[in-house]
């Protein structure tokens, strides 16, 4: 029975992470990408200046460690199917799975590198949530992701555009993480305030 509950909890976590990734990717695709495309059309095909799913990557790995990698990959794959234009997807088809693998592993790699240097940031290791530390490991994950993506897409990006694409990847991941962390902070604060109000009423 215990194994059944563990399996159910695992499936639930998988579904939540995948859904959160797809929703955040959708917000990026429908809100950020059209605006960015007006100013940076060559770069926008490959990277977004505010990539919200990076926040999902970092927070999911923070909570679940290596177990977050597969649902993140599933979320990225579904997001590409749902939100990427068929023409763009066809151009990137040869490297799409490699790109998804890099993005799914980047946050876990960053947490593990930090842990190798004695900086264990996984959830439950500290009494308080160290937001600045999470932002730092998110920045490292962003560098790993942007470097990996620039290698994956090297055959598709013009040499003159490689540095701007890499810079936009890094900036977009970091800004996306900051936005997700701000949203999470506001949600926690709202929950805390709601709890206090309830206590006063009782």
């Amino acid at each position: 029975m215990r194994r059944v509950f563990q399996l159910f909890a695992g499936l639930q976590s998988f579904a939540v992470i995948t859904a959160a990734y797809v929703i955040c990717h959708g917000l990026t695709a429908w809100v950020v990408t059209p605006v960015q495309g007006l100013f940076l059309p060559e770069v926008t095909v490959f990277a977004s200046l505010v990539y919200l799913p990076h926040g999902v990557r970092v927070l999911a790995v923070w909570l679940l460690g290596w177990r977050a990698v597969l649902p993140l990959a599933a979320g990225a794959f579904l997001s590409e199917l749902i939100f990427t234009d068929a023409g763009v997807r066809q151009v990137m088809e040869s490297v799409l799975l490699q790109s998804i693998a890099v993005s799914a592993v980047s946050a876990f790699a960053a947490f593990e590198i930090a842990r190798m240097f004695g900086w264990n940031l996984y959830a439950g290791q500290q009494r308080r949530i160290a937001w600045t530390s999470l932002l730092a490991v998110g920045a490292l994950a962003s560098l790993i992701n942007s470097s990996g993506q620039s290698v994956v897409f090297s055959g598709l990006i013009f040499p003159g555009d490689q540095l701007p694409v890499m810079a936009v990847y890094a900036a977009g991941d970091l800004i996306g993480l900051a936005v997700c962390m701000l949203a999470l902070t506001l949600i926690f604060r709202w929950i805390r305030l709601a709890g206090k109000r309830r206590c006063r009423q009782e």
Side-chain angles (χ1 to χ4, degrees):
M1 194 68 174
R2 190 178 174 184
R3 284 184 182 177
V4 173
F5 282 126
Q6 285 176 338
L7 180 64
F8 180 72
L11 290 172
Q12 195 175 26
S13 298
F14 191 103
V16 168
I17 292 169
T18 303
Y21 195 102
V22 170
I23 290 165
C24 286
H25 192 103
L27 286 171
T28 302
W30 287 335
V31 179
V32 178
T33 302
V35 176
Q36 184 182 319
L38 298 173
F39 303 99
L40 299 166
E42 300 85 4
V43 174
T44 302
V45 173
F46 300 101
S48 171
L49 268 171
V50 183
Y51 193 63
L52 297 173
H54 186 65
V56 177
R57 284 183 208 138
V58 173
L59 295 171
V61 171
W62 170 61
L63 288 168
L64 297 177
W66 63 268
R67 293 186 301 278
V69 172
L70 199 56
L72 288 170
F77 183 75
L78 285 173
S79 296
E80 292 297 338
L81 287 179
I82 297 166
F83 301 109
T84 304
D85 181 77
V88 174
R89 199 165 59 240
Q90 194 171 7
V91 169
M92 300 193 318
E93 194 172 15
S94 60
V95 293
L96 196 58
L97 291 179
Q98 294 170 48
S99 172
I100 287 168
V102 168
S103 69
V105 171
S106 61
F108 177 63
F111 273 90
E112 285 300 300
I113 289 168
R115 194 164 66 90
M116 280 168 51
F117 286 94
W119 206 24
N120 194 340
L121 297 173
Y122 290 109
Q125 299 302 312
Q126 300 169 4
R127 287 184 179 180
R128 297 187 64 179
I129 299 170
W131 295 112
T132 51
S133 300
L134 275 179
L135 203 55
V137 83
L140 177 59
S142 177
L143 287 173
I144 293 167
N145 186 43
S146 58
S147 303
Q149 298 298 348
S150 66
V151 171
V152 168
F153 289 120
S154 59
L156 300 175
I157 304 170
F158 291 116
D161 290 334
Q162 277 193 330
L163 195 59
V165 167
M166 192 172 168
V168 170
Y169 250 112
D173 283 353
L174 202 54
I175 294 167
L177 172 60
V179 170
C180 283
M181 285 172 64
L182 177 63
L184 203 60
T185 305
L186 293 173
I187 290 166
F188 284 163
R189 187 172 293 172
W190 178 79
I191 290 168
R192 210 164 36 241
L193 290 172
K196 283 180 182 175
R197 278 196 218 103
R198 217 173 286 124
C199 287
R200 282 177 200 151
Q201 287 171 356
E202 289 171 359

